[in-house]
Amino acid sequence: MPAEWEPQSGIQLTWPHSDTDWAPLLKKIQKTYGEMAEEIQKREALLIVGPPSNDTWARDHGFITLIADNGEPPLLLDFKFNGWGEKFPSRLDNALNRRLYDEKRFRGEYVDHLDFVLEGGSIESDGKGTIFTTTGCLLAPHRNQPLTKEEIEERLKDYLCAERVVWIDHGQLTGDDTDGHIDTLVRIAPDNTLVYVGCDDPADEQYEELRLMEEQLRGLRTMENRPYRLVKLPMPRPIYDGDHERLPATYANFLVMNGAVLCPTYNQPDNDALALRLLGEVFADRDIIGIDCRTVIKQHGSLHCCTMQFPEGVLTDTKQDTK
């Protein structure tokens, strides 16, 4: 499974429409998606998938792609998406990959893993054989019971051609529907770097979990038995919905693409600027572009959740609409 910063052929957006939970915010969220689309199209191909879909989180219902070093075709892995543990409807989303493949939107071999629940936001790859994930998500109810942690790890290594799986045991964000996706907490970056969200306020309800996560990260080692370089992103100040429930805002949900990184912002000038600066240091060869995610977070997601990238040579011509 390639690292996200490796060359890409394109990115998928599953577009918000009136039959999704975005209906009350449709104009605002389509504006945000339009801003993402504009930045993506400057640098690579864009696949826009329109209705029907249950929702718009392409990261979790899109193909997970493997590439080979020996000239063999890419493998397009289609895992089961079940609405993050049967919390939300998912039948239409779960059928999208097969439909897009049959319409020849991708180059590669279709691989049916629909007997195993796996969301793209729940895994991170360094492109060298290490997969990061969280115990909170992959062991959550209604995912892959009665499989044990050891059995799930063996499947991950087999399906993703990985040498090892690193399990993060702490860090759930308040308001997170995903049971702790890794892409809201810890991201792998070049040069054995881990970019993670931290919290410096002991009064914050998330402080202790994120402190324990940071402690675990300090103890991790690469396959070469070296410590990771750790880069701590700020925690956005609390953002609440109309019912005064806290939303899972995070700067860790950034998207790496050809020549750029799209970073969520939340109209918090100090925190936004710090997050952008830190990502600029980590990805010094790319433009760092802030995208206002105050609307996206109202449905408990952010930029990375909205998108799915495909490695070089995978996405075919996308000029025709997919309806």
Side-chain angles (χ1 to χ4, degrees):
M1 181 179 171
E4 192 166 306
W5 60 85
E6 295 182 42
Q8 300 174 8
S9 58
I11 291 173
Q12 175 180 329
L13 290 175
T14 303
W15 205 259
H17 57 88
S18 59
D19 291 329
T20 66
D21 289 342
W22 289 117
L25 300 167
L26 199 55
K27 287 186 178 179
K28 289 184 177 180
I29 192 59
Q30 288 183 344
K31 180 178 183 293
T32 304
Y33 267 64
E35 293 169 359
M36 286 191 283
E38 182 178 358
E39 294 298 338
I40 292 167
Q41 288 187 105
K42 291 177 183 177
R43 298 166 177 87
E44 53 191 280
L46 173 63
L47 172 65
I48 294 178
V49 180
S53 67
N54 298 106
D55 218 320
T56 58
W57 308 109
R59 177 65 45 183
D60 294 337
H61 60 243
F63 278 121
I64 294 171
T65 311
L66 305 186
I67 55 174
D69 295 327
N70 59 3
E72 292 293 315
L75 299 181
L76 300 163
L77 310 185
D78 191 8
F79 291 96
K80 183 177 182 179
F81 174 64
N82 72 345
W84 308 283
E86 301 176 356
K87 296 183 183 75
F88 303 97
S90 58
R91 179 182 60 84
L92 298 176
D93 293 342
N94 200 44
L96 282 175
N97 287 340
R98 181 79 241 190
R99 180 172 182 176
L100 291 168
Y101 184 80
D102 289 343
E103 292 183 0
K104 304 188 185 306
R105 299 290 173 173
F106 303 99
R107 299 183 183 93
E109 179 182 338
Y110 178 92
V111 182
D112 186 340
H113 286 314
L114 291 171
D115 62 342
F116 188 76
V117 175
L118 187 68
E119 299 127 22
S122 71
I123 53 174
E124 278 277 300
S125 173
D126 67 354
K128 300 184 291 185
T130 295
I131 298 295
F132 272 58
T133 191
T134 65
T135 52
C137 177
L138 265 67
L139 302 184
H142 308 292
R143 292 300 212 286
N144 288 302
Q145 287 79 11
L147 294 180
T148 65
K149 178 181 177 182
E150 292 72 25
E151 290 169 331
I152 290 173
E153 178 167 324
E154 286 306 309
R155 290 211 188 188
L156 289 177
K157 289 195 286 189
D158 180 28
Y159 295 159
L160 303 177
C161 298
E163 294 184 38
R164 66 172 187 154
V165 177
V166 176
W167 295 82
I168 302 301
D169 300 315
H170 301 279
Q172 170 101 12
L173 299 179
T174 303
D176 176 24
D177 292 328
T178 71
D179 302 301
H181 271 186
I182 192 72
D183 71 349
T184 67
L185 299 168
V186 183
R187 304 294 303 283
I188 306 177
D191 302 318
N192 294 323
T193 301
L194 298 180
V195 182
Y196 67 101
V197 62
C199 181
D200 296 323
D201 180 5
D204 192 303
E205 61 192 312
Q206 302 174 137
Y207 174 80
E208 182 62 14
E209 271 293 295
L210 292 174
R211 185 193 68 79
L212 290 170
M213 184 185 79
E214 184 177 50
E215 188 175 288
Q216 183 180 5
L217 295 180
R218 289 193 181 117
L220 295 180
R221 295 295 181 266
T222 68
M223 283 198 287
E224 297 78 25
N225 198 33
R226 297 171 183 165
Y228 284 94
R229 173 195 175 205
L230 301 181
V231 175
K232 181 178 180 178
L233 295 172
M235 170 61 64
R237 286 185 292 279
I239 300 172
Y240 299 93
D241 65 13
D243 297 321
H244 307 289
E245 298 292 332
R246 187 170 181 175
L247 298 169
T250 172
Y251 292 107
N253 205 248
F254 56 85
L255 171 70
V256 185
M257 58 190 209
N258 295 342
V261 176
L262 301 187
C263 175
T265 61
Y266 301 100
N267 195 32
Q268 299 181 10
D270 52 346
N271 285 326
D272 293 348
L274 178 55
L276 292 168
R277 179 177 65 79
L278 290 170
L279 289 178
E281 294 172 1
V282 173
F283 297 97
D285 60 337
R286 299 169 198 252
D287 298 329
I288 311 299
I289 300 163
I291 299 288
D292 187 338
C293 285
R294 285 177 293 168
T295 300
V296 184
I297 198 61
K298 290 180 180 179
Q299 285 295 328
H300 302 250
S302 200
L303 296 182
H304 199 249
C305 305
C306 297
T307 59
M308 176 54 85
Q309 78 283 342
F310 301 103
E312 198 170 54
V314 172
L315 192 62
T316 61
D317 178 66
T318 58
K319 292 179 181 178
Q320 299 179 47
D321 290 334
T322 300
K323 299 179 179 178

